Amino acid sequence: MKPAQSPFPAYDPSGDRPLEVGVLVLDQTNMLSLASAVDPMRAANRRARRELFHWRFLTPGTGPVGVTAGLAIAGAPVAAAAGLDFLILVAGFGIEEQTTAPLLRQLRRLSRQGCVIAGVDGGGWVLAASGLLDGQAATTHWEDLDRFAAKFPKVQTVRDRYRIGQGVMTTGGASPCIDMMLHLIGRLHGQTLATRVASAFIYDPVHEGAAPQRLVPTASLMRRAPAVARAIALMEARLDAPPSVAELAAALGLSRRSLELRFQTALGQSPHAFGRALRLSEARRLVLDTDQPVQEIALATGFGSPAAFSRAFRDEFGTSARQHRMGRRRSPD
């Protein structure tokens, strides 16, 4: 079967030349996100028994960068990169400090030369800062979607797992990056090869790019307890105004007792307990990863009063939200 038209302007997938890929790694990048970008290309080469992808590692400067697993990644400086069809920019923590004017100039230079650029995990922040996402839809890791939308109003922020635009691509974290890479392999070299690559990872590529990122992974739950998975999706969508168990049950066409039994069987807890833990988990993330006022966090996670939020947070985590924030460490996880 003839592959579909290449998304890379200068590249013909039916020829003998491999796709030239630069993998630009920023300091404090998540190791799993980096592997999710590179390993599908390696597996595609192995299963095709020829070099379909040729990649080289790049760094913002002249020295190596560190990833969250403690490894050092050496590469050529991005300023020296030339002849690329595709640049994959992978970033994790400390993004704003690393988004320098020279780095943004290099991204714009490569884009002008016809290089398609993908921002993986936090890489979308750097792409947005360069202006290359202006007027297009883009995504980033779900934890940062609200801040991303506020900081880059010229970008249409979407909750998609990955989004492919004109000359740019963006993904959430590691798993959405695998989805995007499998999509590209299928687009360039046929779905049969993409399926073989997925099987090498024992990975079930059930997500289209437009599938929303989820706070709670529910793919396996959807197969064994679909009503519970759908109830969780409703909870995620209404963190600021949590539905009652009765409202959830009615939305799913179940009795309250039936929904409670299904939660107990699937998760070992009630819908009310699960929803409360979900909201407090998001509250803790906002306390640690943002400077949003505690009162705003309380409202954003469905607590009607600061006092109710304070009691619930202390009961769950052993300290107040303010004490939690004072002792925070922005450690990669």
Side-chain angles (χ1 to χ4, degrees):
M1 181 177 68
K2 185 178 179 180
Q5 183 179 2
S6 172
F8 305 100
Y11 177 67
D12 178 7
S14 64
D16 294 330
R17 180 176 75 82
L19 187 77
E20 289 293 335
V21 183
V23 182
L24 175 56
V25 188
L26 267 58
D27 198 43
Q28 301 181 63
T29 284
N30 184 303
M31 183 67 185
L32 190 55
S33 293
L34 176 60
S36 296
V38 175
D39 232 32
M41 295 189 290
R42 177 203 58 78
N45 286 353
R46 183 167 182 261
R47 271 153 181 72
R49 297 186 179 180
R50 66 187 183 92
E51 190 178 41
L52 303 177
F53 300 90
H54 177 263
W55 63 91
R56 50 194 124 148
F57 289 104
L58 304 170
T59 59
T62 57
V65 296
V67 297
T68 55
L71 301 177
I73 304 294
V78 67
L84 296 179
D85 301 303
F86 189 29
L87 179 74
I88 307 176
L89 167 57
V90 195
F93 297 87
I95 299 169
E96 294 191 22
E97 307 92 271
Q98 299 181 74
T99 304
T100 63
L103 175 58
L104 299 182
R105 282 198 298 271
Q106 294 305 322
L107 295 178
R108 290 190 286 263
R109 172 183 68 84
L110 290 169
S111 179
R112 287 194 300 270
Q113 293 173 356
C115 179
V116 173
I117 305 179
V120 174
D121 200 347
W125 282 77
V126 189
L127 274 183
S130 74
L132 294 175
L133 297 181
D134 286 0
Q136 301 207 55
T139 191
T140 188
H141 193 284
W142 67 263
E143 291 183 342
D144 299 318
L145 282 167
D146 290 340
R147 290 191 297 129
F148 185 86
K151 188 171 181 64
F152 303 111
K154 294 182 180 179
V155 181
Q156 179 192 347
T157 302
V158 294
R159 199 181 181 87
D160 296 5
R161 290 177 65 81
Y162 64 88
R163 177 58 72 101
I164 297 178
Q166 294 296 316
V168 290
M169 307 177 188
T170 48
T171 82
S175 177
C177 181
I178 295 177
D179 292 335
M180 183 189 75
M181 295 303 294
L182 291 173
H183 171 83
L184 289 176
I185 291 167
R187 177 98 177 259
L188 292 171
H189 299 291
Q191 191 56 45
T192 298
L193 179 61
T195 300
R196 292 176 62 203
V197 171
S199 70
F201 302 138
I202 320 179
Y203 183 78
D204 187 4
V206 296
H207 301 105
E208 297 294 332
Q213 295 182 54
R214 303 293 302 273
L215 279 69
V216 180
T218 56
S220 63
L221 191 60
M222 183 60 80
R223 289 190 283 269
R224 59 187 175 87
V228 173
R230 288 195 293 271
I232 292 172
L234 292 173
M235 291 177 182
E236 289 178 344
R238 292 179 54 186
L239 289 178
D240 60 338
S244 68
V245 177
E247 288 173 327
L248 287 172
L252 298 170
L254 300 172
S255 69
R256 174 172 179 155
R257 180 60 177 160
S258 176
L259 182 61
E260 288 175 336
L261 286 173
R262 292 175 192 228
F263 261 81
Q264 197 63 43
T265 300
L267 301 174
Q269 58 184 318
S270 70
H272 175 77
F274 182 90
R276 181 179 182 275
L278 178 67
R279 292 186 291 124
L280 284 168
S281 177
E282 174 64 0
R284 181 178 183 272
R285 184 190 71 79
L286 292 172
V287 166
L288 293 178
D289 291 353
T290 77
D291 293 319
Q292 191 173 348
V294 171
Q295 288 187 340
E296 291 184 10
I297 293 174
L299 292 175
T301 52
F303 291 91
S305 72
F309 174 71
S310 178
R311 286 193 300 271
F313 196 96
R314 186 179 290 276
D315 287 346
E316 185 75 11
F317 303 114
T319 64
S320 72
R322 287 185 174 83
Q323 289 170 329
H324 219 67
R325 176 170 278 172
M326 289 174 62
R328 68 184 171 183
R329 295 290 185 271
R330 186 71 166 100
S331 59
D333 52 14

